[in-house]
Structures are given as structure tokens and as C-alpha cells.
Amino acid sequence: MGAPKQKWTSEEEEALRRGVLKHGAGKWRTIQKDPEFSPVLSSRSNIDLKDKWRNLSFSASGLGSRDKQRVPRPKAPSSSPSPSPQLLLLPATNNVAEASPPEDCEKSPQDDKTPSPNSMILEALGELKEPNGSEVTTICNFIEIDKSYKLTDSYAKRALAPMKDPSLKKKDSAKSSKAAKGQGLFTAASPALGAAEAAATKVADAEAKSHLANEHMMEVERIGKMAEETESLLELASELYERCSRGEVLTILQVAHREF
DNA sequence: ATAGGGTTAATT
DNA sequence: AATTAACCCTAT
């Protein structure tokens, strides 16, 4: 009776974000049970995590001064066939990114009119890049979060298995892979699209060559509708791909290629 | 156990 | 009154 509403604290929010970044969105139970976030999210249930993440995602999606298409009105059976299945994505991180960007990070001259949500992700990736090398699962999760790619943990497990081998440090290997298996999915608009798409396709094909592929196609189709986000996203993918190809860190591409 | 839908409470 | 956020219920 005396429980009005238990608002989420910053600690809990951060824990949730970290958990999602670490284990991936969807593994609420795992995140909640993780000893790292357990003490913080002890009073939250997996459902609460999901709900919170949902709210966060929705807020982040419609938080760009974009059209405020609000049509949650189930009270209009006449006229108005279908507004627009605008899919949401890119919950990203809500870190402090305002104040004043002193200097450009490195390149990305296209960082002008677009908020570049991937920049944050890239930065985060660079930050969490440990001397030991980022974990494959982390990168995998990144991609999963970015484009809502559905990567099962089975893939992660598989990728982690061969990763133990130190001889995986190849300098250049999958670079000329191209692997434009699904290049015909949608029209390519930028050069980076090829590489990025190839990477995504490779990863996707590595494990999900069954019904999951179908979902991927659908997802790709949806993404194709959003040119801006797609380009930004692909840029990130390309960056990751190049970076990994260089041999800086173990990449899912190499592992995937190995498995292939 | 997770995803989605719907409801209630608090804030503006 | 409208929006947001937490909570609850149901289906898969």
C-alpha cells in the first residue's frame, strides 16, 4: 500500500546498460543473476529489467526532435489504414555526450548533422578495449544492440571456443573475403555498405542460416528504409571490420571465417 | 524465461 | 489533459 513507485536509480540504470552490453539484450535473467549486477538489481526482476530497457529504448528512439508521430490510439477503426511500421532501434547509451565536443575524435567527416549514435558505441568499444582484447561476446553484443540483430548465444559460445587459440592473430585474412552472399538483399548505396553488409551477412550466415536468416532479412529490409541510420550503422560496422582485420583485436569475422 | 500488451501512478 | 515511467498480466 505504501509503495507508490520504485523509480530506477542511476546505479540500476547503469547496471542494466552494462548488463545489456555484456550479455546482450534479452538475457534479463542472466543479467539479473550476474554477480556483478546482482547487488544492484537485487530488488529488480528480469521483467523489470525488460520493462526498463523497453522504456529506455523507446525514449532514446524518439528523442531526436524527429516527427512526433503519436498514434497509439486504438480508437480509430475507420479510415487510417496503417500509419507506418516505424521500427525502433538503437537504444544506445545515454552517457554524458553534451557539454562541448572539443575536437573531433579521429575522422568521420560526416559527423555534422547527424548525432551519430554509433560514435558513442565506438568510443565505448575503444574504452572497454582491454589489453587482453575485447571479448567476442562484447562485440557481438554491440552489433546485436546496434541493429537489433538476433544473435543467439550459441554463436557466441562457438566463437569463444576457437578464440582460445592464440594463433588466431592473423594480420589480414577475411579482408578480401567480400562474401557478398546477401549483397542482393538491398541496394547498396555506399562503398562501406558492402564490407559492413558482408560482415553482417557473414556473421549471420555463420550461425543463423535457418529460420533466423529470415528474421535477418526482415530486419535488413526494415533498416533499408532508414537510410540515415543505416549509413551510420554501416559505418560503424565497417570501422569494426577494418579494425578487427588489422589484427588489433580478435574479431567475430575471423572466427566466423574459420568456422566457415 | 522472454516478449508484448495493458493499466496505474507520478510529473508537466 | 497529455506524457512518461513503473508495474502487472498474458501468450509464446
Side-chain angles (χ1 to χ4, degrees):
Chain A
M1 273 131 115
K5 283 288 196 206
Q6 201 167 21
K7 234 208 134 236
W8 274 65
T9 65
S10 305
E11 317 288 309
E12 291 174 309
E13 247 186 66
E14 210 198 295
L16 174 60
R17 283 203 301 240
R18 280 187 59 195
V20 171
L21 248 81
K22 186 171 189 206
H23 291 283
K27 269 75 183 171
W28 314 116
R29 217 354 179 93
T30 310
I31 297 171
Q32 208 274 338
K33 238 190 145 195
D34 194 300
E36 199 76 47
F37 320 114
S38 232
V40 185
L41 306 168
S42 57
S43 249
R44 298 318 186 161
S45 62
N46 48 347
I47 302 179
D48 290 334
L49 297 184
K50 185 193 72 65
D51 286 329
K52 182 60 181 174
W53 185 252
R54 180 217 270 166
N55 287 336
L56 277 166
S57 303
F58 211 81
S59 286
S61 270
L63 204 96
S65 64
R66 221 62 169 167
D67 58 318
K68 47 194 119 178
Q69 203 173 25
R70 277 278 104 165
V71 60
R73 277 247 110 78
K75 270 186 172 189
S78 54
S79 319
S80 310
S82 54
S84 231
Q86 260 203 324
L87 253 291
L88 65 135
L89 79 156
L90 246 307
T93 49
N94 284 7
N95 256 357
V96 278
E98 30 250 294
S100 56
E103 65 237 309
D104 7 351
C105 296
E106 346 191 348
K107 53 212 184 137
S108 328
Q110 57 130 91
D111 237 58
D112 238 344
K113 64 202 286 209
T114 43
S116 269
N118 50 12
S119 284
M120 282 199 237
I121 303 176
L122 250 193
E123 206 175 296
L125 192 126
E127 234 185 284
L128 80 97
K129 196 205 304 193
E130 295 179 12
N132 291 337
S134 301
E135 285 182 296
V136 183
T137 48
T138 312
I139 302 176
C140 178
N141 288 331
F142 267 122
I143 298 181
E144 189 174 340
I145 296 170
D146 285 349
K147 47 182 51 172
S148 302
Y149 254 47
K150 293 281 175 171
L151 297 180
T152 48
D153 37 345
S154 314
Y155 155 71
K157 260 207 225 163
R158 254 191 168 163
L160 265 173
M163 183 197 163
K164 274 171 146 189
D165 206 280
S167 57
L168 262 174
K169 278 193 170 173
K170 288 204 270 182
K171 262 197 188 164
D172 191 79
S173 61
K175 189 172 149 197
S176 51
S177 245
K178 266 163 200 158
K181 234 187 175 173
Q183 194 136 19
L185 281 177
F186 54 86
T187 32
S190 358
L193 199 137
E197 205 255 337
T201 308
K202 202 96 189 179
V203 175
D205 239 74
E207 239 294 308
K209 49 174 82 165
S210 32
H211 66 288
L212 271 174
N214 219 346
E215 290 192 45
H216 280 275
M217 277 176 76
M218 280 173 87
E219 213 66 49
V220 169
E221 249 192 340
R222 281 174 192 157
I223 292 171
K225 276 181 184 170
M226 301 180 266
E228 311 176 16
E229 308 225 20
T230 309
E231 253 191 89
S232 285
L233 204 104
L234 288 175
E235 182 114 356
L236 163 66
S238 181
E239 180 88 24
L240 203 104
Y241 177 80
E242 279 231 6
R243 236 179 233 207
C244 291
S245 281
R246 271 194 194 161
E248 269 196 72
V249 256
L250 266 295
T251 170
I252 43 182
L253 247 297
Q254 297 201 346
V255 183
H257 191 262
R258 215 169 198 237
E259 273 286 302
F260 222 72

